[in-house]
Amino acid sequence: MNQVDAAIAAELRLLDSTVRADASAVESLLAPDFTEIGKSGRVWSRDAAIRALLDDTSGPTEAVGIVGRVVADRLVLVSYTTGSSDAVVRRTTLWRNMPSGWQAVFHQATAIAAI
């Protein structure tokens, strides 16, 4: 599997509601230095993001138009759109290939439209 496909597969795992319910699975996908800027503009630490993902009961999240590109050695930028009952959100995640596997380093969510 090439780097882009591997990073996209990791992103899709992170969107899976079964994975989101498993603390060790979520922790393995988020790098120790992970940060996020949520759709509200709030900055999330790794620990806060993990708690939020574990508490998420919204069910499966579908990624529409998911694409990735290599931006540097062992770094892939994955972008896609999600939709929910309250907003359409454009999302971008920076994934780093570590010896233990692909880990998200940064995530940005931007609300682009209310539904």
Side-chain angles (χ1 to χ4, degrees):
M1 180 179 302
N2 69 42
Q3 290 187 78
V4 170
D5 291 341
I8 288 173
E11 185 77 45
L12 294 174
R13 280 194 306 279
L14 195 53
L15 294 176
D16 184 299
S17 56
T18 304
V19 172
R20 288 175 176 235
D22 179 345
S24 63
V26 173
E27 289 169 358
S28 73
L29 289 167
L30 299 184
D33 57 342
F34 175 83
T35 57
E36 174 178 341
I37 300 174
K39 67 183 180 182
S40 67
R42 176 181 169 191
V43 177
W44 296 75
S45 68
R46 179 181 188 263
D47 290 342
I50 289 170
R51 283 192 302 275
L53 289 172
L54 293 173
D55 291 342
D56 182 10
T57 59
S58 64
T61 301
E62 181 182 355
V64 177
I66 194 164
V67 295
R69 66 183 176 99
V70 176
V71 294
D73 184 38
R74 301 177 331 158
L75 290 174
V76 174
L77 189 66
V78 174
S79 301
Y80 57 99
T81 302
T82 60
S84 67
S85 61
D86 63 337
V88 174
V89 180
R90 187 165 291 134
R91 298 178 179 277
T92 302
T93 309
L94 183 61
W95 288 90
R96 180 172 52 211
N97 189 1
M98 300 298 294
S100 60
W102 286 90
Q103 292 185 319
V105 177
F106 178 79
H107 180 79
Q108 167 79 47
T110 304
I112 57 173
I115 295 177

